[in-house]
Amino acid sequence: MPLLEVRDLTVVFERKGEKPFTAVDHVSFDVEPGQTVGLVGESGCGKSVTSLAIMGLLPRRGARVSGSVQYEGVNLLSLSDREMRDKRGRDLGMVFQDPLSSLNPVIPIGVQVTEVLERHRDMPRKKAMLEAAELLDKVGIPDPTRRLSEYPHQLSGGMRQRALIAIALACRPRLLIADEPTTALDVTIQAQILALLKELVHDLGTALVMITHDLGVVAGLCDEVNVLYAGRVVEKAHRHELFAAPRHPYTHGLLSSIPRLDAPRGEKLNPIRGSVSDNIPWSEGCAFAPRCPNKLDVCVRVTPEQEDIGGGRLLRCHNPVKPPVAEEVSA
Amino acid sequence: MLRYTIRRLIQLVGVVLVLSLLLFAWLRALPGGPVSALLGERSTPESREALTKQLGLDQPIFVQYVKFLGRALSGDFGVSTGVQPGDSALDIFLQRFPATIELSALAILIAVAVGIPLGYMAAKRRGGWFDNISVGGSLLGVAVPVFFLAYVLKDVLSSALGLPTEGRQDAINATRVTGFFVLDGVLTQEWDAALNALEHLILPAVALATIPFAVVFRITRAAVLDVLDEDFVRTAESKGLTAPTIRRRHVLRNAMLPVVTTIGLQTGALLAGAVLTEKVFSFAGVGQALAIGFERRDYPVLLLLIIMATIVYVVVNLLVDLSYALIDPRIRTR
């Protein structure tokens, strides 16, 4: 049984006097225990909203969430506020994008780690402090005992993100959601943080939902990948297959827009034309159609359904990219 | 921190010196004077001249000022001519200052105890009916003049609530230790006296508290709204912390900085409000003495009380600045 089973998750933002906006549109995916699943897409495709909906962190007013999020067989969306507070931090951990603003500036790091231990593991303060020092050590923060009494502004960006990871993993949750955890960091630090995450989820057997726009992160970390476009999953595949043979024109566009070191000099970059604002609503056809090089007439009339194309792959496209010939895949 | 405090206190000495000079001149520039106030309109020129001489007001102003400074250094701030004629200005201050402190402290306490929770609740329910009503109410709190509200409390509400409207305490034989009536009652375990003194404080304190309450409420509401949008509040939620922990440790702690600043600035407004409130409630505090002092041109009392008010204001705001460091570690390390 999957650890997390997201089915038809839909989030609609409603504001008085404005048209409701569907940020997440019938998104479904599974996360097996210990597995790392990527949610990939550009800004505004609904990946962060998906993670917040799973965590129950969307504002109660103005955001309508439907579908189901089964965690170990319990639908998280049906839990009360109190029950959800018991789950968050204990069964589900989350790491956010900006490590400076995600830490409370006026409270020592130590308290920010121990408060979650005291809350969920009933640890007395003293014992929690020892455990916190151990946690900071485990995420690679040198001199952890001293760091406990320091404040976020006294730590470097990478250290802060390590501290946040320590907080999220303090209670050994079975699922960790990381929402672009490296976006705000230097490139060298990014690699360290990714390596750390990889190592930790492996050691602890934690399942990881990795939310990112960076295909490099996906390549290094994820087992399964879900590509989101305008709130819907357009392609789902195993990491290797996705990189070797992207079928959706959007995925293909994303991959071919990455500049390559071995490309001939002077070769032009290969961006996806247009922007998200060119989208048409899914109800009228394929949202990606206006930007799609493979567009057919049918694309702007009929909404493509999600199809199982074999090998555990799902695809939502009328005119997918032809898979390369078999020899090329193995090469 | 220590160097900062010392520097601020040295600045205070300068401020007091300049202020005393200005006040000295300003007070004497007011129409009328202690002589007319004491002798009335039908006094003879001879008696006026004699009194003027006796008060030393016939000398050039800078001579008066230098003499005043010399005496002030040895703790002599002159003798009252109007508030309590014959008493030394310092005694009047020492007698009345505790009363005003009690009144202001209770007023600030009310303003903070009501304003902060209400501000938090309003922010949590932004745009809801509770928010709209309390924002409207706070606007009313700022807009209604203190003296009007004081009269309403005194003439309308006091009988309904059975609270006294005049003075600081009924004629109860209370022992004086510190001059703070409520505190004295507690210290000497004369509970009747303490309770009686407290009852006398309630209505004037409520009248005095309205403006600081409204300001504290609005600043708290705005600050909490800002903090609720912060990423670290979302992090706290993602940890599954209980609502009270998030409120106390993560939201309010961060929202307090502007609120504390406001409380400091409001002490100035409080002293201004005390003049009106104490007058209405015949409350024998510094404010009442200032009001009477102005009517009767009591130069020594006015000078001393205004300077002391300035010192209190500067010291309170220094304490506020120092408390930043307690609240925000980012200021501490700088």
Side-chain angles (χ1 to χ4, degrees):
Chain A
M1 191 182 80
L3 177 70
L4 184 78
E5 225 179 60
V6 179
R7 286 291 170 274
D8 294 323
L9 182 67
T10 304
V11 181
V12 181
F13 288 112
E14 290 165 324
R15 276 185 90 171
K16 236 188 253 172
E18 275 176 43
K19 229 168 59 182
F21 174 73
T22 308
V24 178
D25 196 352
H26 293 86
V27 165
S28 303
F29 63 93
D30 290 347
V31 182
E32 301 290 337
Q35 193 186 29
T36 296
V37 171
L39 293 184
V40 185
E42 56 197 7
S43 308
C45 73
K47 40 192 205 304
S48 289
V49 177
T50 304
S51 66
L52 293 175
I54 295 171
M55 292 291 286
L57 289 176
L58 288 171
R60 226 157 310 154
R61 279 197 309 181
R64 205 178 62 221
V65 184
S66 57
S68 81
V69 177
Q70 303 275 340
Y71 176 85
E72 292 180 322
V74 180
N75 184 3
L76 298 181
L77 298 185
S78 68
L79 294 183
S80 71
D81 180 62
R82 177 167 300 192
E83 291 167 320
M84 202 55 209
R85 279 182 199 279
D86 286 341
K87 288 241 178 277
R88 279 200 297 264
R90 194 185 64 193
D91 298 330
L92 310 143
M94 185 151 180
V95 179
F96 296 96
Q97 195 171 64
D98 181 352
L100 179 58
S101 63
S102 296
L103 286 165
N104 187 335
V106 303
I107 289 179
I109 298 290
V111 177
Q112 304 195 45
V113 183
T114 54
E115 65 180 356
V116 67
L117 295 169
E118 288 169 34
R119 164 79 173 91
H120 294 297
R121 286 168 66 181
D122 280 329
M123 272 190 198
R125 175 59 66 89
K126 266 220 174 100
K127 193 156 170 256
M129 273 296 181
L130 291 176
E131 174 87 15
E134 220 166 281
L135 279 163
L136 291 192
D137 186 47
K138 197 178 286 174
V139 296
I141 295 182
D143 201 356
T145 319
R146 188 169 60 91
R147 295 292 180 190
L148 287 177
S149 55
E150 291 194 342
Y151 292 88
H153 69 278
Q154 292 167 293
L155 269 59
S156 67
M159 289 296 162
R160 288 179 203 135
Q161 194 58 293
R162 285 170 193 270
L164 276 164
I165 291 171
I167 291 168
L169 292 176
C171 297
R172 314 258 154 89
R174 295 193 67 197
L175 179 70
L176 179 69
I177 301 177
D179 186 358
E180 308 229 15
T182 56
T183 309
L185 303 173
D186 291 345
V187 182
T188 47
I189 310 293
Q190 283 185 7
Q192 292 174 15
I193 294 290
L194 288 175
L196 174 72
L197 270 176
K198 197 172 178 176
E199 181 193 318
L200 286 172
V201 294
H202 180 262
D203 291 353
L204 299 170
T206 310
L208 176 64
V209 174
M210 187 74 194
I211 290 165
T212 182
H213 63 265
D214 185 345
L215 287 164
V217 171
V218 174
L221 213 60
C222 300
D223 305 316
E224 294 272 344
V225 186
N226 293 279
V227 181
L228 267 74
Y229 192 81
R232 291 199 183 190
V233 177
V234 292
E235 182 165 17
K236 182 215 147 188
H238 232 264
R239 175 196 9 164
H240 298 294
E241 281 143 25
L242 190 86
F243 280 93
R247 299 298 310 279
H248 197 283
Y250 176 61
T251 321
H252 187 262
L254 282 180
L255 286 170
S256 27
S257 65
I258 302 172
R260 300 179 65 106
L261 276 177
D262 55 358
R265 285 179 68 117
E267 195 189 59
K268 282 193 180 153
L269 289 176
N270 220 345
I272 302 176
R273 288 176 300 138
S275 74
V276 191
S277 56
D278 301 328
N279 290 351
I280 59 171
W282 280 107
S283 54
E284 290 171 19
C286 175
F288 185 61
R291 304 171 66 186
C292 183
N294 288 14
K295 187 177 77 175
L296 303 174
D297 287 346
V298 67
C299 297
V300 290
R301 280 184 287 110
V302 183
T303 309
E305 292 301 320
Q306 186 166 291
E307 286 171 77
D308 192 333
I309 56 166
R313 297 187 66 159
L314 298 174
L315 186 62
R316 187 191 292 278
C317 185
H318 290 303
N319 186 21
V321 179
K322 302 273 177 300
V325 199
E327 292 85 33
E328 278 179 300
V329 176
S330 55
Chain B
M1 191 74 89
L2 187 67
R3 273 178 61 187
Y4 174 76
T5 310
I6 292 170
R7 206 173 62 219
R8 287 280 297 264
L9 289 175
I10 291 172
Q11 279 175 4
L12 174 61
V13 173
V15 167
V16 166
L17 269 178
V18 173
L19 180 79
S20 68
L21 180 62
L22 290 175
L23 270 176
F24 208 82
W26 280 338
L27 288 173
R28 277 155 183 77
L30 290 172
V35 175
S36 321
L38 280 172
L39 298 178
E41 281 170 20
R42 281 185 285 174
S43 53
T44 61
E46 291 77 37
S47 58
R48 296 176 66 95
E49 203 176 312
L51 188 60
T52 307
K53 207 163 195 147
Q54 188 196 330
L55 295 176
L57 296 173
D58 54 337
Q59 291 163 332
I61 192 163
F62 57 89
V63 176
Q64 290 182 40
Y65 181 68
V66 171
K67 279 190 173 171
F68 162 78
L69 273 190
R71 285 197 309 264
L73 283 178
S74 59
D76 176 8
F77 294 92
V79 174
S80 165
T81 58
V83 180
Q84 284 155 242
D87 288 1
S88 90
L90 187 62
D91 283 347
I92 293 177
F93 167 75
L94 291 177
Q95 207 176 71
R96 288 168 174 263
F97 187 60
T100 299
I101 292 284
E102 274 183 319
L103 180 63
S104 313
L106 187 62
I108 276 287
L109 200 71
I110 294 172
V112 167
V114 183
I116 291 179
L118 227 55
Y120 177 83
M121 287 193 283
K124 275 293 246 189
R125 296 161 180 75
R126 169 173 25 183
W129 61 267
F130 180 86
D131 185 27
N132 290 333
I133 288 177
S134 40
V135 167
S138 76
L139 200 63
L140 209 65
V142 184
V144 172
V146 174
F147 56 85
F148 174 75
L149 185 81
Y151 276 116
V152 169
L153 286 172
K154 183 181 168 184
D155 297 338
V156 183
L157 277 177
S158 65
S159 53
L161 298 171
L163 289 170
T165 57
E166 301 276 328
R168 282 177 73 190
Q169 192 168 25
D170 295 327
I172 285 182
N173 267 333
T175 322
R176 294 283 157 249
V177 187
T178 58
F180 294 91
F181 283 19
V182 180
L183 187 63
D184 285 352
V186 174
L187 286 177
T188 56
Q189 303 196 328
E190 293 169 21
W191 304 114
D192 284 356
L195 192 69
N196 189 279
L198 190 63
E199 276 182 348
H200 279 82
L201 279 177
I202 291 173
L203 287 179
V206 168
L208 197 53
T210 46
I211 290 179
F213 152 72
V215 177
V216 166
F217 164 80
R218 297 199 136 223
I219 300 289
T220 306
R221 179 179 173 275
V224 169
L225 278 179
D226 276 352
V227 174
L228 284 176
D229 276 342
E230 294 278 358
D231 288 345
F232 61 77
V233 175
R234 196 181 53 189
T235 307
E237 291 284 0
S238 81
K239 295 174 180 176
L241 302 177
T242 57
T245 308
I246 293 175
R247 180 172 63 225
R248 189 167 30 81
R249 196 178 286 165
H250 295 281
V251 179
L252 280 177
R253 181 97 201 256
N254 276 284
M256 273 309 104
L257 214 55
V259 178
V260 170
T261 312
T262 311
I263 294 171
L265 295 175
Q266 283 300 309
T267 50
L270 219 54
L271 288 165
V275 174
L276 299 166
T277 314
E278 291 184 3
K279 182 98 171 100
V280 174
F281 288 97
S282 315
F283 190 91
V286 171
Q288 190 196 39
L290 276 172
I292 300 172
F294 268 110
E295 279 165 20
R296 301 186 188 160
R297 300 289 184 267
D298 192 335
Y299 295 159
V301 171
L302 287 176
L303 191 61
L304 179 64
L305 293 189
I306 295 174
I307 287 176
M308 288 321 251
T310 309
I311 292 177
V312 168
Y313 185 72
V314 172
V315 168
V316 167
N317 280 286
L318 174 62
L319 289 177
V320 163
D321 287 354
L322 293 178
S323 76
Y324 288 170
L326 285 180
I327 300 172
D328 194 336
R330 285 168 294 185
I331 295 170
R332 219 175 298 161
T333 40
R334 241 173 248 157

